[in-house]
Amino acid sequence: MGSMGQVVSVSIRDKQADITLGLSSHSLPIQDDVRDAVTSKLVTAFPGVQANVTFQPHARPAARVGQTALRAKSVIAVGSGKGGVGKSTVAASIALTLRRLGSRVGLMDADVYGPSIPHLLGLSGRPGFSESKRIDPIMLDDNPDLSPMPVMSMGFLVDPNEAVIWRGPMLHGSINQFLGMTEWGELDYLIIDMPPGTGDVALTLSQAIPLAGSVVVCTPQEVALLDAVKAIAMFRKVNIPILGMVENMSGFLCPDCGKTYDIFGAGGAREKAEQMDVSFLGGLPLDIKLRIAGDEGRLPAVIDSDAAARAPLERISQAMVRTLAARNAATPPKPTLPTL
């Protein structure tokens, strides 16, 4: 931290250590982990000292991703082996949760044939073009206390009742345009909602940019886990690191009696993650409030206002960031030379 200029101030008086550290917005979701780690080291090194660790913003510009104009510190794909497991809702919810935890986040809907991100977020409109002929994304700017979130989706470009009937090359071109031709700004995280299955979008992404990792969403029952295994195999085949699995629809808490019902079974994703040597990021219960909010385009409002609905999403998002931080600490990214 010292070499990066993140130690802002240190004051020790009467066995009270007041320390102010700079923390980038990319790491804000796990600021409690950082505080605990620093406090533990101080107490171990200086027994009897009471440590008070606070943070202030630490500017760390995002580097260009690959050879595109995209500037993001971590690009994360959210995929599934099959449709109907709530992948888009999970992708949107993770993006909204990271944003609420203080990070600068963008959300890209790569499900060209069935884009649902605009509906979940309650967004509409048609992207324009900047003076530099780049695409201006639709901005989610619903909360003055949070940074605006750029969103790009095929759902903004076609009529909701029209079907996109494209062959592979056109799909490949649209994904590359979304990535490289959109004015994303400087992001900590770009979350990409992948189409279901094991089609060629993962291959397109792996060739276009270096992804920080992927998250596989599934439900607990065996038929869904069979397809989740295929999604894991796909990401490994195209050399996209797997950050972990999320078990969606993991139990239903009845609002009337308070009893939990495992409608789709329980623990299947955790067991499969252990078998596949993949991290288990957490489970998301069936939540009626979130389901209604997604259907009505009010997902951002509910995630911002409902702490109980947001709690499991925060645990999953923080687990994902921890996995990224641990991996980067073990193998720091190497600087890349520009293409001349």
Side-chain angles (χ1 to χ4, degrees):
M1 282 189 171
S3 62
M4 298 293 290
Q6 289 180 260
V7 179
V8 179
S9 65
V10 178
S11 174
I12 301 177
R13 182 178 180 182
D14 297 330
K15 291 192 174 183
Q16 173 69 38
D18 295 310
I19 301 169
T20 301
L21 302 176
L23 196 66
S24 70
S25 52
H26 185 271
S27 298
L28 276 178
I30 55 171
Q31 61 176 319
D32 289 342
D33 293 10
V34 177
R35 181 183 289 108
D36 292 344
V38 172
T39 301
S40 177
K41 286 183 177 296
L42 285 170
V43 170
T44 301
F46 305 101
V49 170
Q50 297 292 320
N52 177 39
V53 180
T54 57
F55 299 106
Q56 72 177 38
H58 176 73
R60 185 167 68 86
R64 195 174 70 170
V65 180
Q67 301 306 315
T68 68
L70 170 65
R71 291 186 177 274
K73 295 171 187 173
S74 297
V75 182
I76 298 170
V78 179
S80 65
K82 66 189 294 293
V85 298
K87 167 190 55 61
S88 294
T89 302
V90 171
S93 298
I94 287 175
L96 292 168
T97 303
L98 288 171
R99 172 184 180 237
R100 195 180 187 284
L101 291 172
S103 297
R104 294 171 298 180
V105 185
L107 180 57
M108 175 178 145
D109 189 352
D111 192 351
V112 172
Y113 298 120
S116 54
I117 292 296
H119 183 89
L120 290 169
L121 300 183
L123 295 177
S124 60
R126 198 171 186 86
F129 288 88
S130 65
E131 293 181 358
S132 58
K133 306 298 183 182
R134 293 171 59 76
I135 304 170
D136 287 325
I138 302 297
M139 303 297 291
L140 177 66
D141 194 7
D142 58 322
N143 189 329
D145 296 326
L146 303 176
S147 59
M149 186 171 80
V151 182
M152 193 61 203
S153 170
M154 185 59 68
F156 297 132
L157 304 175
V158 299
D159 186 274
N161 297 318
E162 288 185 10
V164 176
I165 307 173
W166 283 355
R167 293 187 183 275
M170 296 179 70
L171 179 67
H172 177 87
S174 69
I175 296 298
N176 280 319
Q177 283 188 323
F178 282 6
L179 284 172
M181 295 290 292
T182 301
E183 290 282 7
W184 292 107
E186 284 208 6
L187 301 176
D188 293 310
Y189 300 94
L190 176 63
I191 305 298
I192 301 179
D193 178 27
M194 300 277 287
T198 55
D200 56 357
V201 170
L203 183 59
T204 297
L205 287 172
S206 67
Q207 293 173 337
I209 56 172
L211 271 73
S214 59
V215 173
V216 176
V217 180
C218 66
T219 48
Q221 74 269 39
E222 188 63 30
V223 68
L225 293 170
L226 291 173
D227 292 313
V229 169
K230 296 176 183 176
I232 292 172
M234 172 191 69
F235 284 127
R236 284 175 170 166
K237 186 164 288 189
V238 296
N239 295 318
I240 296 176
I242 300 168
L243 300 176
M245 292 180 69
V246 172
E247 183 175 273
N248 197 25
M249 308 182 198
S250 182
F252 168 67
L253 178 62
C254 178
D256 297 328
C257 67
K259 185 177 179 180
T260 298
Y261 295 91
D262 294 322
I263 298 175
F264 298 107
R270 183 189 293 274
E271 294 175 7
K272 190 63 69 175
E274 292 177 358
Q275 294 172 14
M276 301 287 293
D277 194 24
V278 171
S279 297
F280 179 69
L281 299 178
L284 291 172
L286 281 164
D287 191 314
I288 293 177
K289 296 186 294 294
L290 286 177
R291 196 277 301 167
I292 294 174
D295 284 349
E296 296 179 351
R298 297 185 297 104
L299 193 61
V302 171
I303 288 180
D304 281 347
S305 63
D306 194 318
R310 188 175 63 246
L313 289 164
E314 287 188 349
R315 289 193 291 269
I316 286 170
S317 300
Q318 289 166 338
M320 185 183 72
V321 175
R322 287 188 197 102
T323 301
L324 276 173
R327 194 184 67 194
N328 289 338
T331 55
K334 298 177 181 178
T336 56
L337 295 175
T339 301
L340 300 178

